[in-house]
Amino acid sequence: MDLLQYTFFQHALLGSLLASVACGIIGTYIVTRRLVFISGGITHASFGGIGLGVFAGVSPILGAAVFAVLSAFGVEWLSKRKDMREDSAIAVFWTLGMALGIMFSFMSPGFAPDLSSYLFGNILTITRTDLLMLGILAAGLIVFFSLFLHPITYVAFDREFARSQGMPVAVFEYVLMLFIALTIVACLRMVGIVLAISLLTIPQMTANLFTYNFKRIIWLSIAIGFIGCLGGLFISYHWKVPSGASIIFFSILIYAVCKIIRR
């Protein structure tokens, strides 16, 4: 294939693999714990960090990472309070992040920046730095889940049972929220803010059609996610459409086909 000789396409393939590993692992926890709405809130809250990064003249991805982590911890903390409902806490950070992102981007000196790449993503523009970040994150997730798979499974399925076994449930929840936030930020260049949550849920939903085993869902999600990325790149190349949207479209197509086969 002629495309393989181009560096940008090699980066896209490696980025697809690393992102599939990271999203396959942490996405299984998200779907099992039913944290999809929370993850959506963190995703949109990170836009505030992008706007702040543009305004301050620092890396927008760094700003997004800070905002995403703080929002994740904020939602986790507020949702534990009796005077605040979880969906209300999510709405606060969701809307605050989007509002600050728009305000900071318009306050930035010079020309108004083009934020479409962060909203919709473009896997063909990922750099070596993005790949390094994805690689470190994927390695960290592999190590953490390998060491603590059973406690994580207990926390994901039944937190009360995990507490009764003397497990530090709160510590695991905050660490996993940290990983969720960082994974979302690491995937922004690939699929953007608008579509990032899909990469963390659709492969897991597809895998869940065939198994309920936590570990098997992780492995299947990684494979399905990577196939979705490859198919999306193929569609993007031949139809000349944005790669981020193509990846999500092909992933949903896989889910639909698997759903029909399962029935």
Side-chain angles (χ1 to χ4, degrees):
M1 189 175 181
D2 293 337
L3 278 174
L4 290 175
Q5 64 182 312
Y6 296 109
T7 304
F8 73 88
F9 194 75
Q10 295 169 5
H11 285 178
L13 289 178
L14 182 55
S16 298
L17 177 60
L18 294 174
S20 298
V21 172
C23 292
I25 295 173
I26 198 64
T28 302
Y29 173 75
I30 290 173
V31 172
T32 305
R33 266 289 309 275
R34 299 181 180 179
L35 297 176
V36 177
F37 190 39
I38 289 180
S39 303
I42 296 169
T43 304
H44 287 79
S46 67
F47 187 63
I50 292 173
L52 179 60
V54 172
F55 176 74
V58 298
S59 169
I61 293 296
L62 177 61
V66 173
F67 254 68
V69 171
L70 292 177
S71 299
F73 288 169
V75 169
E76 186 69 24
W77 180 72
L78 283 176
S79 62
K80 296 290 189 292
R81 295 172 61 88
K82 294 182 179 179
D83 59 344
M84 174 71 79
R85 286 173 47 181
E86 187 177 71
D87 56 349
S88 300
I90 296 165
V92 168
F93 287 97
W94 185 314
T95 53
L96 177 64
M98 294 299 290
L100 289 176
I102 294 169
M103 289 169 61
F104 280 126
S105 63
F106 275 88
M107 289 165 56
S108 303
F111 293 102
D114 179 22
L115 298 177
S116 61
S117 61
Y118 296 104
L119 287 172
F120 304 105
N122 188 351
I123 193 173
L124 300 178
T125 64
I126 60 175
T127 63
R128 290 181 183 272
T129 304
D130 298 321
L131 291 175
L132 179 62
M133 180 170 63
L134 272 170
I136 293 172
L137 177 64
L141 280 165
I142 290 171
V143 171
F144 185 74
F145 271 70
S146 297
L147 292 175
F148 303 108
L149 182 62
H150 291 299
I152 292 170
T153 306
Y154 293 146
V155 171
F157 282 102
D158 193 341
R159 283 175 290 174
E160 296 307 318
F161 174 75
R163 286 193 183 96
S164 70
Q165 300 301 306
M167 296 177 187
V169 174
V171 174
F172 276 109
E173 286 179 335
Y174 275 99
V175 172
L176 288 164
M177 288 298 282
L178 172 67
F179 275 123
I180 290 172
L182 294 178
T183 304
I184 287 170
V185 173
C187 294
L188 289 184
R189 294 293 290 271
M190 283 186 59
V191 292
I193 288 172
V194 177
L195 303 170
I197 192 61
S198 302
L199 210 59
L200 291 161
T201 55
I202 295 171
Q204 288 73 18
M205 290 165 55
T206 308
N208 205 203
L209 292 172
F210 302 100
T211 181
Y212 294 103
N213 182 280
F214 194 83
K215 189 186 292 186
R216 289 175 186 167
I217 292 175
I218 290 176
W219 284 110
L220 272 176
S221 298
I222 292 172
I224 294 167
F226 187 54
I227 293 170
C229 288
L230 294 180
L233 283 172
F234 182 81
I235 291 173
S236 176
Y237 173 71
H238 283 278
W239 290 358
K240 304 296 185 295
V241 292
S243 57
S246 302
I247 289 170
I248 302 307
F249 169 77
F250 194 75
S251 298
I252 294 175
L253 196 63
I254 293 174
Y255 173 77
V257 171
C258 291
K259 186 80 171 175
I260 293 170
I261 292 172
R262 184 72 179 130
R263 284 184 175 178

